């Protein structure tokens, strides 16, 4: 069964608003979670690594003030897309490290109108 | 050269065929190798995890790693229409646990 839960699965928002996406580890504590972005027919692009109790580590080119990551507990990390624009429309996927393997949530399809 | 290369396909095969999915990588520091299956509009699902060269079998799936040639393969026996998905290879280096993903190969198994 699923070990990582992501919510919501789809969200449509208006340009300029903020959207929060939740990622939960089920039945295990995840000190490290990852946030990815995926464009159609493209590979997963790592956006940031989220560590419980500390600041996230962002990949080069990812705006940390636009993509706010909070990992306040061992089972929950959130990604907030602030002041969303149509170019932020994408598929966002979180994952969590369990042992030595990375397990993914089912993704969130964000559409900014 | 990208760190991980995969032919995007699509690879179309009849039901029951043996499927071979391949991946090459350039970083010799990669020590562990994963294959993920991703259905449309879903997150990737971990299929296989191997830590060394050689073969690892799990049901109809066999992962093969050749570190000397930096070549990774996933074989699917008796392929089913439900195997139709994108398969992502994801090698990683020890210590970081952050795999590097290929762009994936789209597989279509038709009845």
């Amino acid at each position: 069964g699923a070990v990582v839960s992501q919510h919501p699965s789809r969200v449509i928002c208006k340009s300029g608003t903020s959207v929060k996406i939740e990622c939960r580890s089920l039945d295990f504590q995840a000190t490290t979670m990852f946030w990815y972005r995926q464009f159609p027919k493209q590979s997963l692009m790592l956006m940031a690594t989220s560590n419980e109790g500390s600041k996230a580590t962002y990949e080069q080119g990812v705006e940390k003030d636009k993509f706010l990551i909070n990992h306040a507990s061992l089972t929950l990390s959130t990604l907030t897309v602030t002041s969303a624009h149509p170019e932020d429309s994408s598929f966002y996927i979180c994952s969590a490290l369990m042992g030595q393997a990375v397990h993914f949530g089912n993704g969130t399809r964000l559409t900014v109108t | 050269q990208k760190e991980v290369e995969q032919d995007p396909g699509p690879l179309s095969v009849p039901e029951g065929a043996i499927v071979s999915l391949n991946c090459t990588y350039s970083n010799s520091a990669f020590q562990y190798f994963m294959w993920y299956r991703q259905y449309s509009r879903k997150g990737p699902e971990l299929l296989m995890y191997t830590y060394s060269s050689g073969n690892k079998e799990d049901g109809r799936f066999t992962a093969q790693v050749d570190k000397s040639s930096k070549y990774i393969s996933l074989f699917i026996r008796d392929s089913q229409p439900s195997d139709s998905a994108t398969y992502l290879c994801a090698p990683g280096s020890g210590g970081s646990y952050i795999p590097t993903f290929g762009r994936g190969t789209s597989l279509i198994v038709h009845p």
Side-chain angles (χ1 to χ4, degrees):
Chain A
V3 297
V4 176
S5 173
Q6 188 172 343
H7 180 80
S9 58
R10 302 178 69 93
V11 58
I12 300 172
C13 71
K14 292 188 176 180
S15 187
T17 62
S18 295
V19 174
K20 180 184 283 188
I21 302 169
E22 292 188 348
C23 181
R24 294 181 184 273
S25 59
L26 305 177
D27 300 325
F28 74 100
Q29 294 180 333
T31 55
T32 303
M33 291 185 173
F34 307 96
W35 287 95
Y36 290 84
R37 185 172 180 175
Q38 188 177 35
F39 291 104
K41 300 189 187 302
Q42 297 297 316
S43 185
L44 295 156
M45 185 192 80
L46 180 65
M47 298 175 66
T49 301
S50 169
N51 297 298
E52 187 269 336
S54 64
K55 290 183 178 180
T57 303
Y58 289 82
E59 296 299 301
Q60 191 173 9
V62 178
E63 299 176 62
K64 60 182 179 182
D65 293 330
K66 180 165 187 64
F67 299 100
L68 299 179
I69 292 171
N70 184 280
H71 194 157
S73 79
L74 286 169
T75 60
L76 174 65
S77 175
T78 60
L79 168 68
T80 301
V81 183
T82 63
S83 187
H85 290 284
E87 57 265 31
D88 297 325
S89 298
S90 190
F91 192 51
Y92 293 87
I93 315 174
C94 73
S95 64
L97 182 64
M98 185 171 80
Q100 292 184 327
V102 173
H103 295 268
F104 287 85
N106 261 333
T108 298
R109 173 76 56 191
L110 171 63
T111 303
V112 184
T113 61
Chain B
Q1 181 189 11
K2 290 183 180 178
E3 275 198 296
V4 181
E5 298 268 14
Q6 278 186 273
D7 185 334
L11 175 63
S12 183
V13 301
E15 183 175 356
I18 296 174
V19 175
S20 172
L21 302 165
N22 306 301
C23 178
T24 59
Y25 63 94
S26 58
N27 189 345
S28 56
F30 288 145
Q31 297 177 323
Y32 63 94
F33 307 89
M34 295 182 282
W35 281 96
Y36 287 84
R37 176 175 62 195
Q38 186 176 22
Y39 292 112
S40 180
R41 299 190 180 92
K42 296 290 185 183
E45 169 194 10
L46 180 64
L47 271 182
M48 300 284 284
Y49 176 100
T50 57
Y51 195 73
S52 59
S53 282
N55 293 353
K56 179 176 181 180
E57 188 174 318
D58 184 359
R60 295 185 295 113
F61 298 90
T62 299
Q64 190 174 78
V65 175
D66 183 346
K67 286 187 177 180
S68 62
S69 59
K70 300 187 179 68
Y71 195 85
I72 312 165
S73 298
L74 179 70
F75 298 98
I76 306 175
R77 290 185 300 280
D78 187 25
S79 56
Q80 303 295 310
S82 59
D83 294 329
S84 299
T86 297
Y87 290 81
L88 302 151
C89 75
S93 55
S96 80
Y97 300 119
I98 302 176
T100 301
F101 285 89
R103 63 179 293 185
T105 299
S106 175
L107 171 67
I108 301 169
V109 181
H110 51 86

